[in-house]
Structures are given as C-alpha cells and as structure tokens.
Amino acid sequence: MLEFDNVSKSFWTGTQRKVILERVSFRVELGNSLGILAPNGTGKTTLINMMAGLEKPDEGVIRRDCRISFPLGFMGGVVNKQNAVENSRYIARLYGLDPDYVEAFCRWLCNLGEYFEQPLGTYSSGMRSRFTFALMLALDFDIYLIDEGMPSSTDVDFNKKAGDVLRERLRTTTIVIVSHQPQVLEKFARSAAVLLNGKLYMFDTLEEAKQLYDYQTQG
C-alpha cells in the first residue's frame, strides 16, 4: 500500500508560491493500478517523486509498506561513465537480484546492439530512456511509477516488447501512471484521479476522471 495522509507541497517561484498539493489524502492499494490525469505544469513529476521518496512533503505523511520503484526515466544510481552491462549488474546487486538475469533482460528489451557495451554518456536521450525503462522492469517491485508513459522511441520492436511486459506485470503488480493525455492511461489504469489546483480528485473509472479533466482543460 502507498498512502498520502494530509500531504501538502509547494514551491516558491521567485514571485509567487506554486501549490502542487494542498492537504491531499489518498491511497493506492496493491492490485488496483491508478492513472492520474494532470495538465502540464501542475506538478506531475513532483507527485511521482514524492511517491518514490525522492522529494519530501512540506506537511503530512507518506506511508509506504511495499516495494516501490524509482520513476521511469530517473537516472539515480546509473553511472554515465559505465556501460549498460556494468550499470545493469551493479543495480542488480544493489537490489539483491541475479546480475546475469538483469543484464540479459535489459539486453533483450533495449535492443541496443553494440551500444550495450558503450558508456551511457554516449547514448541519445531515447537510448537512455529505453535502458532505464528496461532496468526498472527487470527489478522486482510491488508498485511501478511511470511519469508520462513509456519513453518515446522509434524502435518498433522495443515499443511492442515494453508494452507487452508492462501489461503482463499488471497481472501481479500495481502501476501508478501520471500523464496529461487520457489515452496514455487507458491500457493500464483501473481507477483514475485528476490533479487540479493542488487537489486530487479520485474516481472509480477513467471515464469519470476524463469528464472532469476535459471540462477543466478544454471548457
């Protein structure tokens, strides 16, 4: 379970205080994947980082009693001077997993060819996001955190395999996915919420959430 209890978060922009969350409470139960709709600039990444423990709330309590992933695309723990082989094996040991398995899984999913032996610092942004996404899926978490969906890639094979793996994981794990695009959430979310003006509105279905989101963003 992941729970926010009366959580507040804001930033000072230099001219005004930008409120991300204002006394927000909600719970993510294992087995009930959650999609959160949020317009650009409302704090999607901050919310995901708070779930992962990368950012602390100003007020309130965040409870985690399960294994929660790092956010998709987060490069913490990955060393640019090392290649994908070294990085995947290091992260595997860090999480107590078989380095051979994690390396083989990332090789299969990334489809980077000879670049898998090259330093991450030489990668394009697309290659880096493919590797970190593969690394996240190779690890064993109860809740996977995804900001804006799968990384943008022109590699059709990667997109298909990554989507298949993610859908398979839904059978045994939980996904929290945050996006400004409702269609990104449709394949993965069972329940949904809308983040607007520091408030999080929870709904049983994505269709209900889309009605509020469309009204607020298009009306």
Side-chain angles (χ1 to χ4, degrees):
M1 180 191 69
L2 169 66
E3 184 177 25
F4 278 46
D5 186 359
N6 242 5
V7 171
S8 296
K9 182 71 174 180
S10 62
F11 295 101
W12 179 251
T13 64
T15 58
Q16 61 182 349
R17 184 159 296 279
K18 179 178 178 58
V19 177
I20 305 300
L21 297 177
E22 184 177 3
R23 303 187 69 178
V24 166
S25 297
F26 69 96
R27 179 184 297 181
V28 179
E29 299 283 1
L30 296 185
N32 185 27
S33 292
L34 174 66
I36 301 176
L37 286 169
N40 285 328
T42 55
K44 294 188 298 294
T45 299
T46 298
L47 177 59
I48 283 286
N49 285 345
M50 291 173 70
M51 291 179 180
L54 299 175
E55 294 194 37
K56 296 181 179 180
D58 298 333
E59 296 178 345
V61 178
I62 301 175
R63 300 183 181 94
R64 308 172 187 85
D65 65 357
C66 59
R67 298 163 298 176
I68 300 176
S69 80
F70 50 87
L72 169 62
F74 175 67
M75 297 299 291
V78 177
V79 181
N80 285 337
K81 292 182 180 180
Q82 295 183 344
N83 60 31
V85 175
E86 296 164 326
N87 272 292
S88 60
R89 299 183 73 86
Y90 168 73
I91 295 296
R93 295 187 187 97
L94 197 63
Y95 282 88
L97 299 175
D98 180 3
D100 290 339
Y101 165 76
V102 174
E103 178 190 342
F105 180 90
C106 290
R107 280 184 181 275
W108 166 77
L109 185 56
C110 288
N111 195 28
L112 293 174
E114 61 184 12
Y115 283 98
F116 208 80
E117 280 81 30
Q118 299 298 319
L120 262 64
T122 65
Y123 286 13
S124 67
S125 59
M127 292 165 63
R128 288 161 63 96
S129 64
R130 280 159 55 190
F131 174 68
T132 56
F133 188 47
L135 191 56
M136 182 183 72
L137 290 180
L139 305 181
D140 188 18
F141 296 109
D142 297 310
I143 295 179
Y144 288 84
L145 302 176
I146 302 177
D147 184 357
E148 290 292 358
M150 291 187 298
S152 176
S153 174
T154 57
D155 191 306
V156 176
D157 183 54
F158 169 80
N159 289 338
K160 182 181 184 305
K161 289 191 295 187
D164 289 344
V165 170
L166 203 52
R167 280 186 286 274
E168 180 64 27
R169 288 292 168 85
L170 275 172
R171 298 183 181 182
T172 56
T173 63
T174 303
I175 291 174
V176 177
I177 180 168
V178 183
S179 178
H180 70 284
Q181 298 178 309
Q183 61 267 30
V184 173
L185 311 183
E186 290 175 350
K187 296 179 181 179
F188 307 112
R190 296 184 181 179
S191 59
V194 178
L195 178 64
L196 288 170
N197 302 318
K199 301 294 185 181
L200 193 71
Y201 302 91
M202 300 290 292
F203 297 92
D204 291 331
T205 66
L206 178 58
E207 191 57 40
E208 292 174 296
K210 284 170 62 178
Q211 291 180 12
L212 173 62
Y213 184 74
D214 290 343
Y215 175 77
Q216 292 293 329
T217 59
Q218 299 176 17

